[in-house]
Amino acid sequence: MEKNELKEAIREVLNEEGIIGTTELSGRWIGGEVIMQPADLALQAKVIPADVFFHKIVMIRDRLRVMEQKINASKKMDDAEKVELQQYITKIYGTLTTFNVLFKEEDDKFRGDSGKG
């Protein structure tokens, strides 16, 4: 198997498992900007294209999903340790629900109650 064929096969598996995939920015944010304005208006604001900011949020979500998979598959941790780490991940998802407004599809959004992002 060639390197590119292996990469494509891995992408397919990760996509099927919901670990990676296409995640779309909600239409109202396309072409928009995220502006972080300091309280002191004499200081320069930080402006980030909305799609770049969104991509960073999606990367966080996808990496949390990979971490979740690795925890669940771990042979070195007992069930209690897995549950404890899973609870932390669930809390992280809950914290990130603020960014759900950016997602086009409901299934792509963060959910803190089920532990799935």
Side-chain angles (χ1 to χ4, degrees), residues 14-65:
L14 293 175
N15 195 10
E16 287 173 10
E17 294 299 317
I19 296 171
I20 64 166
T22 304
T23 305
E24 293 184 54
L25 178 63
S26 178
R28 71 185 198 181
W29 306 112
I30 295 173
E33 297 176 325
V34 175
I35 303 169
M36 292 180 268
Q37 180 65 55
D40 181 350
L41 297 178
L43 297 173
Q44 185 175 3
K46 174 75 174 177
V47 180
I48 305 167
D51 61 327
V52 171
F53 184 75
F54 179 68
H55 178 70
K56 291 180 183 299
I57 297 299
V58 170
M59 286 174 31
I60 291 168
R61 186 204 60 191
D62 291 347
R63 288 177 180 156
L64 281 169
R65 287 179 175 175

Side-chain angles (χ1 to χ4, degrees), residues 64-82:
L64 281 169
R65 287 179 175 175
V66 170
M67 184 186 322
E68 200 170 19
Q69 293 291 323
K70 287 185 176 212
I71 289 167
N72 291 333
S74 174
K75 305 263 189 250
K76 294 182 179 182
M77 284 189 263
D78 62 34
D79 287 344
E81 292 171 313
K82 289 179 183 182

Side-chain angles (χ1 to χ4, degrees), residues 8 17 55 88 111 116:
E8 186 56 36
E17 294 299 317
H55 178 70
Y88 282 112
R111 285 177 292 284
K116 294 182 179 179

